[in-house]
PDB file of all heavy atoms in Angstrom:
ATOM      1  N   ARG A   1       6.455 -41.175  26.063  1.00 96.00           N
ATOM      2  CA  ARG A   1       5.748 -42.308  25.463  1.00 96.00           C
ATOM      3  C   ARG A   1       4.893 -41.875  24.272  1.00 96.00           C
ATOM      4  O   ARG A   1       4.766 -42.592  23.285  1.00 96.00           O
ATOM      5  CB  ARG A   1       4.857 -42.985  26.503  1.00 96.00           C
ATOM      6  CG  ARG A   1       5.609 -43.747  27.570  1.00 96.00           C
ATOM      7  CD  ARG A   1       4.688 -44.714  28.299  1.00 96.00           C
ATOM      8  NE  ARG A   1       3.569 -44.051  28.950  1.00 96.00           N
ATOM      9  CZ  ARG A   1       3.581 -43.604  30.193  1.00 96.00           C
ATOM     10  NH1 ARG A   1       4.687 -43.734  30.926  1.00 96.00           N
ATOM     11  NH2 ARG A   1       2.516 -43.029  30.718  1.00 96.00           N
ATOM     12  N   SER A   2       4.326 -40.691  24.375  1.00 95.00           N
ATOM     13  CA  SER A   2       3.398 -40.217  23.347  1.00 95.00           C
ATOM     14  C   SER A   2       4.089 -39.677  22.107  1.00 95.00           C
ATOM     15  O   SER A   2       3.561 -39.788  21.002  1.00 95.00           O
ATOM     16  CB  SER A   2       2.484 -39.131  23.928  1.00 95.00           C
ATOM     17  OG  SER A   2       1.718 -39.613  25.006  1.00 95.00           O
ATOM     18  N   THR A   3       5.251 -39.062  22.284  1.00 95.00           N
ATOM     19  CA  THR A   3       5.893 -38.354  21.173  1.00 95.00           C
ATOM     20  C   THR A   3       7.254 -38.914  20.771  1.00 95.00           C
ATOM     21  O   THR A   3       7.722 -38.636  19.663  1.00 95.00           O
ATOM     22  CB  THR A   3       6.089 -36.868  21.522  1.00 95.00           C
ATOM     23  OG1 THR A   3       7.071 -36.764  22.569  1.00 95.00           O
ATOM     24  CG2 THR A   3       4.787 -36.222  21.975  1.00 95.00           C
ATOM     25  N   GLY A   4       7.907 -39.634  21.678  1.00 96.00           N
ATOM     26  CA  GLY A   4       9.263 -40.092  21.402  1.00 96.00           C
ATOM     27  C   GLY A   4      10.318 -39.058  21.745  1.00 96.00           C
ATOM     28  O   GLY A   4      11.502 -39.371  21.789  1.00 96.00           O
ATOM     29  N   HIS A   5       9.896 -37.822  21.996  1.00 97.00           N
ATOM     30  CA  HIS A   5      10.840 -36.767  22.377  1.00 97.00           C
ATOM     31  C   HIS A   5      11.195 -36.901  23.857  1.00 97.00           C
ATOM     32  O   HIS A   5      10.458 -37.486  24.648  1.00 97.00           O
ATOM     33  CB  HIS A   5      10.230 -35.387  22.141  1.00 97.00           C
ATOM     34  CG  HIS A   5       9.960 -35.075  20.696  1.00 97.00           C
ATOM     35  ND1 HIS A   5      10.895 -35.245  19.710  1.00 97.00           N
ATOM     36  CD2 HIS A   5       8.836 -34.578  20.086  1.00 97.00           C
ATOM     37  CE1 HIS A   5      10.374 -34.878  18.542  1.00 97.00           C
ATOM     38  NE2 HIS A   5       9.129 -34.477  18.747  1.00 97.00           N
ATOM     39  N   GLU A   6      12.294 -36.274  24.236  1.00 97.00           N
ATOM     40  CA  GLU A   6      12.722 -36.289  25.631  1.00 97.00           C
ATOM     41  C   GLU A   6      12.746 -34.871  26.188  1.00 97.00           C
ATOM     42  O   GLU A   6      13.308 -33.953  25.576  1.00 97.00           O
ATOM     43  CB  GLU A   6      14.121 -36.904  25.767  1.00 97.00           C
ATOM     44  CG  GLU A   6      14.597 -36.983  27.208  1.00 97.00           C
ATOM     45  CD  GLU A   6      15.996 -37.548  27.352  1.00 97.00           C
ATOM     46  OE1 GLU A   6      16.650 -37.767  26.308  1.00 97.00           O
ATOM     47  OE2 GLU A   6      16.446 -37.744  28.490  1.00 97.00           O
ATOM     48  N   ALA A   7      12.129 -34.707  27.363  1.00 98.00           N
ATOM     49  CA  ALA A   7      12.203 -33.440  28.090  1.00 98.00           C
ATOM     50  C   ALA A   7      13.113 -33.655  29.291  1.00 98.00           C
ATOM     51  O   ALA A   7      12.800 -34.454  30.175  1.00 98.00           O
ATOM     52  CB  ALA A   7      10.815 -32.995  28.539  1.00 98.00           C
ATOM     53  N   VAL A   8      14.237 -32.969  29.322  1.00 98.00           N
ATOM     54  CA  VAL A   8      15.180 -33.065  30.431  1.00 98.00           C
ATOM     55  C   VAL A   8      14.835 -31.953  31.417  1.00 98.00           C
ATOM     56  O   VAL A   8      14.925 -30.767  31.082  1.00 98.00           O
ATOM     57  CB  VAL A   8      16.634 -32.929  29.947  1.00 98.00           C
ATOM     58  CG1 VAL A   8      17.600 -32.998  31.126  1.00 98.00           C
ATOM     59  CG2 VAL A   8      16.950 -34.014  28.926  1.00 98.00           C
ATOM     60  N   LEU A   9      14.413 -32.318  32.626  1.00 98.00           N
ATOM     61  CA  LEU A   9      13.882 -31.358  33.579  1.00 98.00           C
ATOM     62  C   LEU A   9      14.932 -30.908  34.588  1.00 98.00           C
ATOM     63  O   LEU A   9      15.690 -31.724  35.112  1.00 98.00           O
ATOM     64  CB  LEU A   9      12.697 -31.970  34.323  1.00 98.00           C
ATOM     65  CG  LEU A   9      11.591 -32.600  33.474  1.00 98.00           C
ATOM     66  CD1 LEU A   9      10.491 -33.175  34.368  1.00 98.00           C
ATOM     67  CD2 LEU A   9      11.005 -31.580  32.499  1.00 98.00           C
ATOM     68  N   SER A  10      14.957 -29.605  34.859  1.00 97.00           N
ATOM     69  CA  SER A  10      15.796 -29.026  35.912  1.00 97.00           C
ATOM     70  C   SER A  10      14.887 -28.218  36.822  1.00 97.00           C
ATOM     71  O   SER A  10      14.134 -27.371  36.348  1.00 97.00           O
ATOM     72  CB  SER A  10      16.875 -28.121  35.318  1.00 97.00           C
ATOM     73  OG  SER A  10      17.742 -28.854  34.468  1.00 97.00           O
ATOM     74  N   PHE A  11      14.961 -28.465  38.135  1.00 96.00           N
ATOM     75  CA  PHE A  11      14.032 -27.844  39.077  1.00 96.00           C
ATOM     76  C   PHE A  11      14.721 -26.790  39.941  1.00 96.00           C
ATOM     77  O   PHE A  11      15.905 -26.909  40.255  1.00 96.00           O
ATOM     78  CB  PHE A  11      13.410 -28.913  39.980  1.00 96.00           C
ATOM     79  CG  PHE A  11      12.659 -29.977  39.230  1.00 96.00           C
ATOM     80  CD1 PHE A  11      13.241 -31.189  38.947  1.00 96.00           C
ATOM     81  CD2 PHE A  11      11.362 -29.733  38.791  1.00 96.00           C
ATOM     82  CE1 PHE A  11      12.552 -32.172  38.246  1.00 96.00           C
ATOM     83  CE2 PHE A  11      10.664 -30.708  38.092  1.00 96.00           C
ATOM     84  CZ  PHE A  11      11.265 -31.926  37.818  1.00 96.00           C
ATOM     85  N   GLY A  12      13.956 -25.777  40.347  1.00 91.00           N
ATOM     86  CA  GLY A  12      14.493 -24.744  41.218  1.00 91.00           C
ATOM     87  C   GLY A  12      13.452 -23.684  41.494  1.00 91.00           C
ATOM     88  O   GLY A  12      12.319 -23.747  41.005  1.00 91.00           O
ATOM     89  N   ALA A  13      13.832 -22.709  42.304  1.00 89.00           N
ATOM     90  CA  ALA A  13      12.958 -21.567  42.559  1.00 89.00           C
ATOM     91  C   ALA A  13      12.835 -20.738  41.291  1.00 89.00           C
ATOM     92  O   ALA A  13      13.814 -20.587  40.538  1.00 89.00           O
ATOM     93  CB  ALA A  13      13.511 -20.713  43.699  1.00 89.00           C
ATOM     94  N   THR A  14      11.662 -20.215  41.039  1.00 92.00           N
ATOM     95  CA  THR A  14      11.407 -19.464  39.808  1.00 92.00           C
ATOM     96  C   THR A  14      12.401 -18.316  39.618  1.00 92.00           C
ATOM     97  O   THR A  14      12.935 -18.119  38.523  1.00 92.00           O
ATOM     98  CB  THR A  14       9.962 -18.947  39.802  1.00 92.00           C
ATOM     99  OG1 THR A  14       9.080 -20.066  39.626  1.00 92.00           O
ATOM    100  CG2 THR A  14       9.726 -17.946  38.684  1.00 92.00           C
ATOM    101  N   GLY A  15      12.656 -17.561  40.678  1.00 91.00           N
ATOM    102  CA  GLY A  15      13.593 -16.442  40.562  1.00 91.00           C
ATOM    103  C   GLY A  15      15.003 -16.890  40.229  1.00 91.00           C
ATOM    104  O   GLY A  15      15.695 -16.266  39.422  1.00 91.00           O
ATOM    105  N   GLN A  16      15.430 -17.983  40.847  1.00 92.00           N
ATOM    106  CA  GLN A  16      16.768 -18.509  40.582  1.00 92.00           C
ATOM    107  C   GLN A  16      16.874 -19.029  39.148  1.00 92.00           C
ATOM    108  O   GLN A  16      17.882 -18.806  38.465  1.00 92.00           O
ATOM    109  CB  GLN A  16      17.089 -19.628  41.573  1.00 92.00           C
ATOM    110  CG  GLN A  16      17.258 -19.144  43.000  1.00 92.00           C
ATOM    111  CD  GLN A  16      17.442 -20.290  43.973  1.00 92.00           C
ATOM    112  OE1 GLN A  16      16.854 -21.365  43.813  1.00 92.00           O
ATOM    113  NE2 GLN A  16      18.254 -20.086  44.990  1.00 92.00           N
ATOM    114  N   LEU A  17      15.834 -19.711  38.698  1.00 96.00           N
ATOM    115  CA  LEU A  17      15.846 -20.222  37.327  1.00 96.00           C
ATOM    116  C   LEU A  17      15.901 -19.073  36.323  1.00 96.00           C
ATOM    117  O   LEU A  17      16.613 -19.145  35.321  1.00 96.00           O
ATOM    118  CB  LEU A  17      14.608 -21.094  37.069  1.00 96.00           C
ATOM    119  CG  LEU A  17      14.583 -22.437  37.793  1.00 96.00           C
ATOM    120  CD1 LEU A  17      13.223 -23.098  37.615  1.00 96.00           C
ATOM    121  CD2 LEU A  17      15.692 -23.364  37.300  1.00 96.00           C
ATOM    122  N   TYR A  18      15.146 -18.014  36.627  1.00 97.00           N
ATOM    123  CA  TYR A  18      15.156 -16.874  35.691  1.00 97.00           C
ATOM    124  C   TYR A  18      16.538 -16.229  35.631  1.00 97.00           C
ATOM    125  O   TYR A  18      17.001 -15.833  34.564  1.00 97.00           O
ATOM    126  CB  TYR A  18      14.103 -15.834  36.068  1.00 97.00           C
ATOM    127  CG  TYR A  18      14.006 -14.767  35.002  1.00 97.00           C
ATOM    128  CD1 TYR A  18      13.332 -15.028  33.813  1.00 97.00           C
ATOM    129  CD2 TYR A  18      14.646 -13.543  35.138  1.00 97.00           C
ATOM    130  CE1 TYR A  18      13.278 -14.086  32.795  1.00 97.00           C
ATOM    131  CE2 TYR A  18      14.605 -12.592  34.127  1.00 97.00           C
ATOM    132  CZ  TYR A  18      13.914 -12.870  32.960  1.00 97.00           C
ATOM    133  OH  TYR A  18      13.869 -11.947  31.946  1.00 97.00           O
ATOM    134  N   THR A  19      17.189 -16.138  36.785  1.00 96.00           N
ATOM    135  CA  THR A  19      18.551 -15.593  36.797  1.00 96.00           C
ATOM    136  C   THR A  19      19.472 -16.435  35.926  1.00 96.00           C
ATOM    137  O   THR A  19      20.280 -15.907  35.147  1.00 96.00           O
ATOM    138  CB  THR A  19      19.103 -15.547  38.240  1.00 96.00           C
ATOM    139  OG1 THR A  19      18.299 -14.641  39.009  1.00 96.00           O
ATOM    140  CG2 THR A  19      20.543 -15.069  38.267  1.00 96.00           C
ATOM    141  N   GLN A  20      19.328 -17.763  36.024  1.00 98.00           N
ATOM    142  CA  GLN A  20      20.148 -18.646  35.197  1.00 98.00           C
ATOM    143  C   GLN A  20      19.860 -18.443  33.708  1.00 98.00           C
ATOM    144  O   GLN A  20      20.776 -18.421  32.880  1.00 98.00           O
ATOM    145  CB  GLN A  20      19.891 -20.106  35.590  1.00 98.00           C
ATOM    146  CG  GLN A  20      20.387 -20.460  36.982  1.00 98.00           C
ATOM    147  CD  GLN A  20      19.960 -21.852  37.408  1.00 98.00           C
ATOM    148  OE1 GLN A  20      19.678 -22.712  36.585  1.00 98.00           O
ATOM    149  NE2 GLN A  20      19.895 -22.066  38.706  1.00 98.00           N
ATOM    150  N   ILE A  21      18.583 -18.296  33.374  1.00 98.00           N
ATOM    151  CA  ILE A  21      18.202 -18.061  31.976  1.00 98.00           C
ATOM    152  C   ILE A  21      18.827 -16.756  31.469  1.00 98.00           C
ATOM    153  O   ILE A  21      19.379 -16.699  30.362  1.00 98.00           O
ATOM    154  CB  ILE A  21      16.661 -18.027  31.844  1.00 98.00           C
ATOM    155  CG1 ILE A  21      16.087 -19.441  32.052  1.00 98.00           C
ATOM    156  CG2 ILE A  21      16.241 -17.476  30.480  1.00 98.00           C
ATOM    157  CD1 ILE A  21      14.591 -19.464  32.280  1.00 98.00           C
ATOM    158  N   SER A  22      18.766 -15.728  32.288  1.00 97.00           N
ATOM    159  CA  SER A  22      19.310 -14.426  31.882  1.00 97.00           C
ATOM    160  C   SER A  22      20.831 -14.457  31.744  1.00 97.00           C
ATOM    161  O   SER A  22      21.416 -13.614  31.071  1.00 97.00           O
ATOM    162  CB  SER A  22      18.900 -13.340  32.883  1.00 97.00           C
ATOM    163  OG  SER A  22      19.547 -13.526  34.131  1.00 97.00           O
ATOM    164  N   GLN A  23      21.449 -15.452  32.396  1.00 97.00           N
ATOM    165  CA  GLN A  23      22.909 -15.581  32.325  1.00 97.00           C
ATOM    166  C   GLN A  23      23.357 -16.600  31.277  1.00 97.00           C
ATOM    167  O   GLN A  23      24.522 -16.960  31.214  1.00 97.00           O
ATOM    168  CB  GLN A  23      23.451 -15.966  33.704  1.00 97.00           C
ATOM    169  CG  GLN A  23      23.278 -14.853  34.745  1.00 97.00           C
ATOM    170  CD  GLN A  23      23.677 -15.275  36.145  1.00 97.00           C
ATOM    171  OE1 GLN A  23      23.860 -16.455  36.427  1.00 97.00           O
ATOM    172  NE2 GLN A  23      23.794 -14.302  37.032  1.00 97.00           N
ATOM    173  N   GLY A  24      22.392 -17.070  30.458  1.00 97.00           N
ATOM    174  CA  GLY A  24      22.744 -17.939  29.348  1.00 97.00           C
ATOM    175  C   GLY A  24      22.619 -19.425  29.583  1.00 97.00           C
ATOM    176  O   GLY A  24      23.153 -20.224  28.800  1.00 97.00           O
ATOM    177  N   ALA A  25      21.924 -19.838  30.642  1.00 97.00           N
ATOM    178  CA  ALA A  25      21.739 -21.272  30.888  1.00 97.00           C
ATOM    179  C   ALA A  25      21.027 -21.908  29.691  1.00 97.00           C
ATOM    180  O   ALA A  25      20.136 -21.305  29.093  1.00 97.00           O
ATOM    181  CB  ALA A  25      20.926 -21.488  32.159  1.00 97.00           C
ATOM    182  N   PRO A  26      21.391 -23.139  29.327  1.00 97.00           N
ATOM    183  CA  PRO A  26      20.889 -23.756  28.092  1.00 97.00           C
ATOM    184  C   PRO A  26      19.490 -24.368  28.216  1.00 97.00           C
ATOM    185  O   PRO A  26      19.300 -25.560  27.989  1.00 97.00           O
ATOM    186  CB  PRO A  26      21.941 -24.826  27.815  1.00 97.00           C
ATOM    187  CG  PRO A  26      22.410 -25.244  29.172  1.00 97.00           C
ATOM    188  CD  PRO A  26      22.418 -23.979  29.990  1.00 97.00           C
ATOM    189  N   PHE A  27      18.506 -23.549  28.569  1.00 98.00           N
ATOM    190  CA  PHE A  27      17.126 -24.025  28.665  1.00 98.00           C
ATOM    191  C   PHE A  27      16.346 -23.646  27.401  1.00 98.00           C
ATOM    192  O   PHE A  27      16.550 -22.579  26.829  1.00 98.00           O
ATOM    193  CB  PHE A  27      16.425 -23.421  29.884  1.00 98.00           C
ATOM    194  CG  PHE A  27      17.002 -23.871  31.201  1.00 98.00           C
ATOM    195  CD1 PHE A  27      17.440 -22.937  32.131  1.00 98.00           C
ATOM    196  CD2 PHE A  27      17.099 -25.220  31.512  1.00 98.00           C
ATOM    197  CE1 PHE A  27      17.966 -23.341  33.348  1.00 98.00           C
ATOM    198  CE2 PHE A  27      17.631 -25.633  32.728  1.00 98.00           C
ATOM    199  CZ  PHE A  27      18.065 -24.695  33.650  1.00 98.00           C
TER     200      PHE A  27
END
C-alpha cells in the first residue's frame, strides 16, 4: 500500500532457505 511494490514471500526454516539460496533459488 505504501510503495506500490510487491514482496512475494516464501517461508521455511532458516537453514533450509539458506541451502536453497546457495543452490541458486531466485530470492
Side-chain angles (χ1 to χ4, degrees):
R1 289 197 301 269
S2 300
T3 68
H5 295 310
E6 182 182 6
V8 179
L9 309 179
S10 298
F11 301 98
T14 289
Q16 292 174 325
L17 290 172
Y18 187 77
T19 296
Q20 292 173 23
I21 290 166
S22 69
Q23 293 174 347
F27 294 125

